[in-house]
DNA sequence: GCCACACTAGACTGTCCAGTATGATGTCGT
DNA sequence: ACGACATCATACTGGACAGTCTAGTGTGGC
């Protein structure tokens, strides 16, 4: 988006990062309209003019920040995953996967990003689409690939792995995520609750899609 | 919250309603900070002063609007529900219930209310708590009561009807709701997709909690 | 030594907006 | 007819804030 050709900013990279960090904090806690560029400047220990030299406008800075955060978050979830070994337990494998995803998605910073983007759907619809694609959709795609392999090995009985992946994803995520969206970060389950929740989600999923013939 | 004692506003009730209607529209489409009191005044065909006579401040008006909308929405979902007859099909009964809930929750106005409140969690945390209680929590409580009766009749096998109710609720709601939150109202399933979605949600639920003994 | 450039502090412009003030008009009950 | 009150149009106050401007400082390369 920004003028990518001319950036002989070798020296200024530290300032650039400082602005990004400060903008992240301020936008996340105050929202787009509630954010004040003077505050970002002072929080990053930089003059206001420098902020405007690096990012042309409040809107450009906002888009940059949110865009990069959604990318980073997606990358952190996406990750080398072991294949299910021949003797391994399917339930345990799914639980480990789901616990990892859920732990990342319920990090306070990501929850707040989600709230921010949802609140700005009216003003920045593209942003929310990108967050959906790099968040839930990407997770579902990955689960789909995993389910395809499991199905070939006869460990899952589903006609449509993509649909099964979506059910799995929301079985795991929906309750904690929706509670946290509205009740605040304090409503995020602790490690024990998280494991219980995931275990039950996997049980339900396997009751409907497990290797036994479907009813 | 408002000074409830003195309101000899018989004459002014129409204006009061006009303000409420206009404020609803404007807050829903522009957000709290993006909303301008002059616009509300002109949209309701009322002078700005009158707005301030009826509602003391922007914040008070906002709280009133959002509070009343969450109440109304809850009431519309809560509703006389037939008991399951002795010869009736459990799946069909659950599907009818779920379709009704999902149709209401995915109305554009309610989706937008949800986005608004989520975006303002930082500024108005109480509002979001109230919306959660009168929305998802109230639905879950109702489903819990229903499941208790079903369990007594041997039609459901679950140790904890409240937990089962939460799973049921999110099986039905999660995918459409989360897609709609970020992808916009156009992503809401049409009537055909909605029925398919609900049918599959109920199938999954009954595979895990149906009358057959649990695995 | 000098140019180019990243940066700084702070003043300034223009605009938007919540909330108030003013002074007049209509309408009800008595 | 009169007083109480809801309402009106409009102007105003005070503060916030995006974005620009100015004038100057430090620092690297040549």
């Amino acid at each position: 988006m920004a003028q990518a050709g001319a950036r002989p900013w070798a020296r200024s990279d530290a300032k650039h990062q400082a602005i990004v960090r400060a903008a992240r904090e301020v936008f996340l806690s105050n929202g787009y309209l509630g954010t004040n560029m003077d505050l970002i400047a002072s929080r990053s220990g930089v003059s206001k003019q420098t902020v405007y030299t690096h990012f042309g406008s409040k809107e450009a800075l906002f888009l940059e920040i949110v865009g990069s955060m959604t990318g980073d978050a997606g990358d952190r979830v996406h990750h080398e995953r072991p294949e299910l070994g021949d003797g391994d337990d399917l339930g345990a494998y799914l639980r480990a996967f789901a616990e990892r995803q859920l732990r990342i998605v319920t990090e306070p910073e990501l929850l707040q990003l989600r709230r921010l983007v949802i609140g700005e759907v009216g003003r920045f619809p593209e942003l929310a689409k990108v967050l959906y694609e790099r968040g839930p959709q990407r997770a579902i795609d990955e689960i789909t690939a995993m389910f395809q392999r499991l199905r070939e090995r006869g460990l899952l009985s589903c006609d449509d792995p993509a649909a099964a992946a979506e059910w799995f994803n929301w079985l795991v995520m929906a309750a904690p995520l929706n509670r946290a969206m509205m009740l605040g970060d304090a409503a995020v389950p602790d490690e024990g609750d998280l494991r219980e929740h995931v275990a039950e989600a996997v049980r339900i999923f396997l009751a409907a899609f497990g290797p036994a013939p479907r009813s």
Side-chain angles (χ1 to χ4, degrees), chain A:
Chain A
M1 293 300 149
Q3 56 278 50
R7 40 168 67 204
W9 300 334
R11 228 186 327 168
S12 69
D13 217 51
K15 306 257 171 188
H16 196 85
Q17 294 307 320
I19 297 168
V20 167
R21 266 194 302 277
R24 231 176 247 221
E25 277 177 40
V26 179
F27 277 126
L28 281 182
S29 62
N30 298 359
Y32 177 69
L33 290 176
T35 286
N36 164 330
M37 295 294 275
D38 289 283
L39 182 58
I40 292 179
S42 74
R43 283 271 262 273
S44 44
V46 141
S47 85
K48 195 174 174 182
Q49 195 54 246
T50 301
V51 176
Y52 277 93
T53 309
H54 284 248
F55 307 88
S57 68
K58 183 181 186 180
E59 182 170 330
L61 177 56
F62 182 70
L63 294 174
E64 175 89 12
I65 295 301
V66 174
S68 74
M69 284 190 76
T70 64
D72 293 355
D75 294 344
R76 288 193 30 236
V77 178
H78 185 74
H79 167 92
E80 292 289 319
R81 193 179 335 292
E83 197 78 12
L84 177 67
D86 264 343
D88 296 354
D89 179 43
L90 175 61
Y93 177 73
L94 293 175
R95 280 195 296 276
F97 174 84
E99 280 168 16
R100 189 186 138 75
Q101 302 262 97
L102 187 52
R103 252 179 240 122
I104 294 174
V105 169
T106 53
E107 281 169 16
E109 206 179 48
L110 285 186
L111 291 176
Q112 193 49 39
L113 175 65
R114 204 183 189 92
R115 291 190 196 104
L116 176 61
V117 168
I118 288 175
E120 297 296 345
V121 164
R123 221 176 311 272
F124 303 108
E126 282 313 311
L127 224 45
K129 275 185 193 152
V130 170
L131 182 52
Y132 188 84
E133 282 157 18
R134 302 208 197 159
Q137 192 56 57
R138 185 166 170 182
I140 290 167
D141 291 345
E142 225 183 308
I143 302 171
T144 302
M146 169 177 139
F147 283 3
Q148 257 153 358
R149 293 193 296 273
L150 292 175
R151 187 178 60 162
E152 283 158 16
R153 295 165 64 182
L155 295 168
L156 238 48
S157 62
C158 58
D159 303 327
D160 182 350
E166 193 164 0
W167 289 112
F168 181 78
N169 180 71
W170 293 120
L171 268 169
V172 171
M173 302 291 183
L177 203 48
N178 281 285
R179 288 175 59 90
M181 279 296 97
M182 313 192 84
L183 300 180
D185 301 350
V188 170
D190 63 28
E191 184 63 22
D193 290 341
L194 182 144
R195 295 175 102 96
E196 268 180 50
H197 175 79
V198 165
E200 181 69 353
V202 169
R203 181 192 79 77
I204 295 169
F205 178 77
L206 288 179
F209 295 97
R214 288 165 70 171
S215 59

